[in-house]
Amino acid sequence: MIALTLVLFSGNSFSQEAVPHYSILEKKDFITLNPDYSVSFKSLLTLNIWDSRGLSHAKRVLPVDKLNQVTNFEVTVTNLATSKVVKRVKLKDLKEVSYIDDGSIYVDTKYKVFELEGVPLPVKVDIIEERLRTTNFFLGSWNPQYYHNQKIKSASLEVVYPVALGLRFRLNHLDSSSSTSQEGNKVKLNWNLENLDAFDERTDSDSLPSLDLAPKKFALEGYVSDMENWDGFGRFISLLIDKKDELPEDFKSEVRQMTAGLEDDYEKISVIYKYLQKNYRYVVIFLGIDGWEPRNASDVIQTKYGECKALTTLMKGMLKEVGIESQYSLVYAGDQKVHLEADFPINNFNHAFLRVPMGEEVLWLECTNNFLPAGFSGNFTKDRDALVVTENGGFLERTPDYRESKFNTIKNTYDIQLQENGDGTFKGNSSFQGFPAVDFFALNEFLDDNQRKNYLNKNIGGSGIIIKDYQIETSNQREVPVASVTFEGNIQRFGQQTTKRIIFPTHLKKIETDMLDNGLLNLEEEITIQSNRKTEMESGVSNFEIKEDYFSYFIDSQVSDDGVITISNRLEINLPKEISEEDKSKTIARINTQLQKNIILKKSE
């Protein structure tokens, strides 16, 4: 009977599926918005798991803090081969963990965690989960599919809310039957889905079905506002940050002294920004209103540390003291970009920074960075929607995409002394502007001599480069980071020797994908080559130019009367913002094909 049960259960075979599934889920979710702005959550889940790789699909992580409570949690695990209950878990049995990383000093949120382990397969797992949140500010999203390699047999969501509070929702790749009903002063919404195929770990999460929920009227720790438009969201944030940027009187005097004698506003900003970078550490502290309320600037001054909200607030206060207005702003920072819609305000932020209007120019100050120049935040907040908070509201604005030459330029000069065996010695200089310069700021800040040399050997030249001596200098031209590297060393197998000829490449390094994270690159190079043996050019590249859709390339080579070869080249790359990874790779391959040119020197007596 047991063997027969296992055979029947293996009817969930995934041998013919494009993506195998290790579990099947049925779930019912219930969300109730209460008149006092609290929210009740209830989930009923049933999983059938027959593969050990599906055990992780039963994991539940539940936040617990002053805004979130877990009111009930029950798990029943049944062996499908014997129909016997093999495990029961209650709320009191869950382990509790804190989230503290290297940058955190205190986070008051803890997590109740359930993980399934040590049970015979196949099993059925029934989970009842009930939670209460004291605010409707964080409604978040409903995701019918969460774990990869899991098939969804059915998923439903019921949302009930008071008419007086209101609710807004947005469907993302969600094709389901839905219904709406009203009874008295309450509205009920229902969504139902069935038979969703499994996805794999390579699937972009943004392509999965989801439902975004957001309140109209909301409250958080006594602050009441509305989220029907971004102005209302901004009014709420302005309440949280009100008067937080006020400075102690003695510190005000110190700030004024920093900028005494300076007339240019950018110079004032830069001086204060460097002071912030030098004297304050970035440390995560989630206190107050679930981490949304900044600490007072006076507290930050006293402790010398803060997270993004605190450091941004302090910077705002220091700028105000020298007559420069700025605006506290929110964004979703990091590798993932989150699109914000003008007509669907939603709480989808993880970072605070500062907007500084300067006439027709706007600077964005990343107050958690401790080495880049004022006004340059790099990839962290590049080209994304941000909420700019004003005194009485807020508005959306796009951050810079940095698609200008001054942010994407490299200039190299190499002087190579070619030896008889094709090896050589070399010296040179490379200058970097904008994104190409960023790594060199970090090199000076964080790495030792050997680590710097390893980086330079890989990135300054190509194969065979051995840098023996170097010097790195970093500076800035206003908001543009600039780096200059002078170097010297040996280069192996640069030239190929025959009896009568020397053959060598026109480029030391090919274009790599990571050089085009910003989609733009202006590269200029000049290489001079001298040989101890008298030679003359037999075959070179003279005034060669090519223009394609996404790049242009020019190269010229000349030989002087005393036998010095000079190679000059210029490469300009401008990829579309929305270019696919496949097209990007193809373009880079075409560029590198053009760079694979050789020069042939004929030996003479």
Side-chain angles (χ1 to χ4, degrees), residues 293-309:
E293 185 176 21
R295 295 163 63 213
N296 291 321
S298 56
D299 292 338
V300 182
I301 294 167
Q302 184 175 8
T303 60
K304 299 297 184 184
Y305 61 74
E307 30 69 80
C308 61
K309 300 182 301 298

Side-chain angles (χ1 to χ4, degrees), residues 293-545:
E293 185 176 21
R295 295 163 63 213
N296 291 321
S298 56
D299 292 338
V300 182
I301 294 167
Q302 184 175 8
T303 60
K304 299 297 184 184
Y305 61 74
E307 30 69 80
C308 61
K309 300 182 301 298
L311 297 177
T312 297
T313 301
L314 174 57
M315 186 70 192
K316 185 175 185 292
M318 290 192 289
L319 291 181
K320 184 168 67 174
E321 187 57 33
V322 296
I324 298 175
E325 290 301 316
S326 59
Q327 294 146 333
Y328 185 93
S329 301
L330 297 176
V331 69
Y332 197 97
D335 294 334
Q336 181 183 358
K337 291 186 179 181
V338 173
H339 174 66
L340 301 177
E341 294 184 5
D343 58 353
F344 192 81
I346 190 170
N347 170 24
N348 214 344
F349 304 102
N350 66 356
H351 185 63
F353 64 149
L354 202 60
R355 178 183 185 270
V356 186
M358 299 175 58
E360 296 182 358
E361 183 183 10
V362 173
L363 289 181
W364 296 87
L365 299 183
E366 176 47 63
C367 300
T368 64
N369 184 281
N370 61 2
F371 57 86
L372 291 175
F376 182 83
S377 55
N379 285 324
F380 195 53
T381 56
K382 179 189 74 175
D383 191 27
R384 61 196 73 197
D385 299 317
L387 174 63
V388 180
V389 179
T390 64
E391 201 170 310
N392 299 307
F395 60 90
L396 292 184
E397 185 163 298
R398 195 76 177 174
T399 61
D401 61 11
Y402 297 110
R403 291 178 66 87
E404 301 173 60
S405 295
K406 65 180 180 180
F407 292 112
N408 302 278
T409 293
I410 301 175
K411 295 182 179 179
N412 298 323
T413 60
Y414 303 99
D415 187 358
I416 299 173
Q417 183 69 45
L418 197 60
Q419 299 171 354
E420 283 289 325
N421 63 356
D423 293 346
T425 60
F426 75 99
K427 59 183 179 180
N429 174 268
S430 292
S431 64
F432 306 86
Q433 284 184 219
F435 282 85
V438 171
D439 283 353
F440 296 97
F441 282 77
L443 287 180
N444 273 349
E445 188 77 15
F446 302 116
L447 302 188
D448 61 28
D449 182 63
N450 285 333
Q451 291 170 319
R452 292 188 194 118
K453 280 185 178 178
N454 289 338
Y455 180 91
L456 295 177
N457 284 328
K458 179 181 177 182
N459 291 276
I460 289 292
S463 176
I465 291 288
I466 302 174
I467 290 178
K468 291 187 173 181
D469 195 18
Y470 69 91
Q471 183 175 357
I472 301 173
E473 296 181 357
T474 57
S475 60
N476 64 290
Q477 298 172 2
R478 284 182 63 91
E479 71 271 27
V480 183
V482 175
S484 177
V485 185
T486 56
F487 47 84
E488 60 181 66
N490 298 329
I491 181 167
Q492 299 175 337
R493 300 181 300 279
F494 178 67
Q496 300 176 31
Q497 293 270 12
T498 68
T499 304
K500 297 182 178 180
R501 293 173 176 82
I502 303 174
I503 305 170
F504 56 86
T506 57
H507 293 270
L508 298 185
K509 191 176 187 303
K510 65 180 183 179
I511 301 299
E512 305 284 353
T513 302
D514 58 7
M515 298 170 67
L516 289 168
D517 285 344
N518 206 33
L520 209 71
L521 180 64
N522 292 333
L523 174 64
E524 295 182 20
E525 290 188 335
E526 183 169 292
I527 305 172
T528 60
I529 303 167
Q530 302 179 63
S531 174
N532 291 329
R533 187 169 182 174
K534 189 175 181 181
T535 60
E536 59 185 48
M537 186 181 292
E538 180 177 279
S539 175
V541 187
S542 179
N543 289 316
F544 174 83
E545 186 171 10

